[in-house]
Amino acid sequence: YFCLTEQRYTEVPRYLSAEHHPENILIHVTSFSPSDKLLVFTVATKETDGFHRFMQTAKHFNYTVKVLGKGEEWKGGEVPNSIGGGQKVRLLKEGIESYADQEDLVVMFVECYDVIFAGGPEELLKKFEETSHKVVFAADGLIWPDKRLADKYPVVRSGKQFLNSGGFIGYAPYINRIVQQWNLQDNDDDQLFYTKIYVDPLARERINITLDHKCTIFQTLNGAVDEVLLKFEEGRVRARNSVYDTLPVTIHGNGPTKIHLNYLGNYIPNAWTQETGCSICDLDLLDLSTVTEYPRVKIGVFIEQPTPFLPKFLDRLLTLDYPKEALSIFIHNNEVYHEKHIKKFWEKAKNIIRNIKIVGPEENLSQAEARNMGM
């Protein structure tokens, strides 16, 4: 009897060996789905665009996701610009209790507003099991929120040293053992709570916790944007950590890296591939045939550095399939070299688009000032 679901087998008894009685041998194969032994928790009190992007990538890989806090008022503080987030621990503490006795269930907690999946459950479970630990937290090169705890961290010869609570994975009883220690307020800091457990040598050893030092599972982008490169595979795109040569399963745009996560999310995992082009561009489209008055659309173009193919890009603005009377364009050009291209575009566009504003390099605006002017 071979039991593939548990990745082990029981040998066929000798008296039923194929040599003597082949007609009596039954090999029973049970189909196995990695998602059967994996449950993903996240917290989303509101369904933002970031949440929908996260769920789209989870659906692509067939993750089972349990969303906590739906409709609940957020009382966890003004993260990410300050400490806070304890409400997430409290919700996880409540949500995991019914799974706490399932010793073979692997539980993952991950943020959702600024996270995307880049790999599937089977890869995730394999990488987790290879760590030989009960709980694995994401690792970060930057310490937050208490730098005074830096000396308490174990020394790491290679890899990122500090804990990031935006993603962790472990067996359900062990995750439950951690979060059941929470007795603070919703606006207390979740990362500080997990950090104090990790830097306690006895607690770390008792629960068997480690960090994902080389971003095998979790990739945090804060302080690591330059490490992460796009890797185009057949039919999908991965993020590759070029320092450790790993392919992380989740990408977390923590801190001030949200815009870079947006860039990565334009490709990962299947938003755009060389084989299919854009696979999500036709989702959630507005049927304009049902609209009596077209929404006015302002297009902002910010040319902050020498940019190849700019004339072709500008020409394409004039071929958009949208009523030109409902379009307006704001252009900030910070490059003297492109002034000739902007001038040529203006000559074509001024009789097509009714509202065009162009700000040139002579204004000496920073990119932030230009974007604020555009708004």
Side-chain angles (χ1 to χ4, degrees), residues 115-375:
V115 168
I116 54 178
F117 281 108
E122 188 172 356
E123 176 186 346
L124 173 64
L125 289 172
K126 182 175 183 291
K127 288 179 174 179
F128 168 62
E129 289 167 0
E130 286 173 350
T131 67
S132 300
H133 285 75
K134 301 300 184 184
V135 178
V136 179
F137 277 85
D140 211 323
L142 306 173
I143 186 171
W144 173 267
D146 190 348
K147 294 181 180 179
R148 294 172 299 179
L149 295 176
D151 292 340
K152 294 183 178 295
Y153 272 86
V155 175
V156 176
R157 293 183 179 178
S158 176
K160 300 182 185 298
Q161 184 179 4
F162 304 114
L163 179 144
N164 182 288
S165 64
F168 52 90
I169 185 171
Y171 292 104
Y174 293 86
I175 297 289
N176 181 66
R177 191 181 304 175
I178 293 173
V179 296
Q180 290 306 317
Q181 299 178 49
W182 176 261
N183 59 0
L184 303 173
Q185 303 302 312
D186 280 357
N187 61 353
D188 283 312
D189 196 79
D190 60 328
Q191 185 148 302
L192 183 59
F193 165 73
Y194 292 120
T195 297
K196 286 183 175 179
I197 294 174
Y198 176 73
V199 298
D200 180 344
L202 295 177
R204 186 171 64 246
E205 184 176 349
R206 183 174 67 252
I207 303 174
N208 196 0
I209 309 174
T210 190
L211 303 187
D212 183 26
H213 297 291
K214 297 187 176 181
C215 306
T216 304
I217 299 173
F218 305 102
Q219 175 68 63
T220 58
L221 292 178
N222 195 13
V225 166
D226 293 340
E227 296 177 9
V228 182
L229 306 175
L230 289 172
K231 181 177 187 292
F232 290 87
E233 300 177 345
E234 187 173 349
R236 69 169 178 168
V237 184
R238 295 298 300 257
R240 173 178 167 264
N241 186 297
S242 59
V243 175
Y244 309 117
D245 195 22
T246 53
L247 298 174
V249 178
T250 70
I251 316 298
H252 182 192
N254 57 321
T257 64
K258 315 293 186 211
I259 291 178
H260 193 71
L261 180 72
N262 294 345
Y263 157 68
L264 296 174
N266 286 334
Y267 299 91
I268 299 169
N270 70 326
W272 188 95
T273 69
Q274 293 171 324
E275 292 78 18
T276 64
C278 182
S279 63
I280 62 172
C281 292
D282 293 332
L283 299 178
D284 300 321
L285 292 182
L286 178 66
D287 183 2
L288 293 179
S289 66
T290 64
V291 175
T292 55
E293 182 178 353
Y294 285 89
R296 291 187 59 187
V297 175
K298 166 85 75 175
I299 299 174
V301 179
F302 300 90
I303 307 158
E304 307 299 329
Q305 58 194 20
T307 305
F309 312 113
L310 181 65
K312 190 168 186 177
F313 166 78
L314 294 172
D315 285 343
R316 285 187 173 182
L317 294 178
L318 304 180
T319 64
L320 291 172
D321 184 15
Y322 200 77
K324 300 302 182 285
E325 63 273 13
L327 286 178
S328 58
I329 296 177
F330 174 85
I331 298 177
H332 174 242
N333 174 36
N334 203 32
E335 285 293 331
V336 174
Y337 170 76
H338 286 309
E339 285 289 88
K340 57 187 177 184
H341 301 135
I342 300 297
K343 183 178 180 180
K344 189 176 291 186
F345 170 75
W346 163 253
E347 294 298 328
K348 296 178 186 176
K350 63 183 180 180
N351 297 320
I352 301 175
I353 308 294
R354 69 176 185 178
N355 185 353
I356 303 176
K357 181 175 178 64
I358 299 174
V359 180
E362 69 280 356
E363 296 293 334
N364 198 29
L365 296 179
S366 68
Q367 184 173 174
E369 292 170 332
R371 289 182 179 275
N372 285 334
M373 180 183 285
M375 290 299 292

